[in-house]
Amino acid sequence: IPGLVGCISVLASFAMSLWVFMQVRGGNSYSPHYFDFINLKAFRIGFDYAIDPLSSLFLLIITGVGFLIHLYSTAYMHDETNKGFAKYFAYLNLFVFSMLLLVMGGNFVIMFIGWEGVGLCSYLLIGYWYKNTEYTDASKKAFIMNRIGDLGLLLAIFWLVIKTGHVDYKELFTQATLSKLS
């Protein structure tokens, strides 16, 4: 049942991604704003998405390949216990969700949250069979390397905030804002 639910959910996401791709194919875009993380006089960070032709293409890739991975995993993991099977598919679905959040984020903060989710899920999936020390060592190595990358990305986001006062893509990628960067 967990494999079936996992496969159907990612296949449904692929179908929705196809619909989104057809909607934005002509250069249309959609940028919903749900709420604000931080809302100060001079600074605002919103929970925003940005759906444009590029992100819709990545939606197709992530959900299409993700469905194939889910399908393959149902056969590959057939010897696993029911509890382990469900745990594996929870990690796998969280990984797909994090990748979707990464590519659909409308600002650098949402992108960073997706990036962190992908790093966490990589750690969980690599070290899934935690009784094997080679797998746990590899998962620890991936986790540490991701933290190094996280630090660089976080410093770059802070630098952009200091220089421009923005993290939203729409506000940041204007000529006036880009002129503040050397």
Side-chain angles (χ1 to χ4, degrees), residues 165-176:
H166 302 294
V167 291
D168 291 340
Y169 298 148
K170 285 188 292 187
E171 296 173 5
L172 186 67
F173 297 122
T174 63
Q175 191 61 37

Side-chain angles (χ1 to χ4, degrees), residues 63-114:
T63 56
V65 173
F67 170 70
L68 295 175
I69 292 168
H70 274 70
L71 197 60
Y72 176 79
S73 293
T74 57
Y76 185 77
M77 301 292 288
H78 73 279
D79 290 336
E80 194 67 32
T81 64
N82 287 340
K83 184 180 176 185
F85 201 75
K87 183 173 75 167
Y88 176 80
F89 276 93
Y91 293 165
L92 204 53
N93 279 356
L94 184 62
F95 188 78
V96 171
F97 169 77
S98 297
M99 284 195 296
L100 292 174
L101 192 62
L102 175 70
V103 300
M104 287 191 313
N107 59 49
F108 283 104
V109 173
I110 301 300
M111 182 193 75
F112 186 75
I113 293 169

Side-chain angles (χ1 to χ4, degrees), residues 6-18:
C7 288
I8 289 173
S9 65
V10 178
L11 183 61
S13 298
F14 179 71
M16 286 187 265
S17 297
L18 275 172

Side-chain angles (χ1 to χ4, degrees), residues 17-32:
S17 297
L18 275 172
W19 180 80
V20 167
F21 183 76
M22 294 301 171
Q23 298 299 313
V24 299
R25 177 175 59 168
N28 300 326
S29 63
Y30 179 63
S31 299

